[in-house]
Amino acid sequence: MTHSSAATRLEVPRDPKTVYRAGSWSVIVVVLIVLHVLAFEATEFRPEALVTGAKGMSNFISEAFPPDLSAEVLQKGISAALTTLWIGLLGTTVSVPFALLLAVFAARTTTPNQGVYQVARGILSFFRAVPDIVFALIFVTAVGLGPFAGVLALICHNTGVMGKLWAEAMEDVDQGPEQALRTAGASRWQVVANATIPNVLPQLTGLLLYRFDVNVRSSLVLGLVGAGGIGLLINKAIKTFQFDEMLTYLIIILIVIIAVDLASAWIRKRLQ
């Protein structure tokens, strides 16, 4: 190979887009590494602490086994688990009308104007941004300890999450039936009721079942702050060092969650 041919090969210009992508990915990788270093430092992430704390963990586990399967503990656990299930159910279903109304206003294809769209999106963002456990703390101070505070907390948070998911589903629906009704002179609400919602109903139902699964788990956590349910019993058992009772309650709620998952999967399969 001659010197001139080698120089010609080396002088072949690189694609600017390829260079830009390579540079962008390099910057992204560096930024991610820096962010993880900062996160490790801020959270005091020390895997060696698991080794030094292994004895305490083993003592905790040994005291939890075997679980307390006495009739009194089982009765309390099952009753509280059902309360947790009811909190998750009501927190999901009662939020449906609020989430649906806000979803209609928060979808570009169904909202009357840009101002209403922005307001609806802002309300959904607020309800979604505030964690359900914060809502629970607020409502516990307002209505007192108990499952009612948990239901109210889930209604607020679930309205924000489900409203956003439903709005996005409405924006992705086929616009053909809606345009046909508009051409025929139907009003905006007639279009929503007769075209938008029927076309997107399977997606809305699937998202609703998904949120029910999540809310049942969330209601367990809400009980830890006094919002009722089996989480309250778990918190009490931990504070009184009754770890065998705690394990019993965890097993009960695990059975409930598995049952909810199976029921939701069965319903979703029937809707397909």
Side-chain angles (χ1 to χ4, degrees), residues 17-189:
K17 292 184 178 179
T18 303
V19 176
Y20 176 77
R21 291 194 192 99
S24 299
W25 278 109
S26 300
V27 172
I28 291 173
V29 170
V30 171
V31 170
L32 285 175
I33 292 174
V34 172
L35 290 176
H36 278 77
V37 171
L38 294 175
F40 283 134
E41 291 295 328
T43 58
E44 300 179 1
F45 189 87
R46 299 290 184 269
E48 61 273 13
L50 290 174
V51 178
T52 57
K55 183 178 180 181
M57 292 177 62
S58 62
N59 291 337
F60 177 84
I61 295 174
S62 63
E63 292 179 12
F65 283 92
D68 187 349
L69 300 178
S70 63
E72 180 183 0
V73 172
L74 285 174
Q75 183 179 4
K76 288 194 303 182
I78 293 173
S79 177
L82 288 175
T83 301
T84 296
L85 181 62
W86 305 146
I87 293 173
L89 177 65
L90 291 179
T92 304
T93 56
V94 177
S95 65
V96 167
F98 308 109
L100 184 59
L101 181 62
L102 287 170
V104 171
F105 288 131
R108 294 185 184 276
T109 54
T110 57
T111 191
N113 57 61
Q114 185 68 18
V116 173
Y117 170 82
Q118 294 296 340
V119 171
R121 282 281 176 169
I123 294 174
L124 291 177
S125 297
F126 171 75
F127 283 136
R128 192 173 66 255
V130 179
D132 46 19
I133 195 168
V134 174
F135 278 125
L137 290 171
I138 295 172
F139 286 119
V140 162
T141 61
V143 302
L145 299 173
F148 183 43
V151 173
L152 294 175
L154 286 182
I155 289 173
C156 291
H157 185 70
N158 196 64
T159 295
V161 176
M162 203 158 59
K164 179 179 183 295
L165 295 175
W166 282 1
E168 292 176 349
M170 291 178 184
E171 290 180 343
D172 294 336
V173 73
D174 181 16
Q175 300 297 312
E178 296 181 7
Q179 293 175 356
L181 285 179
R182 291 193 189 98
T183 303
S187 66
R188 183 180 302 276
W189 291 108

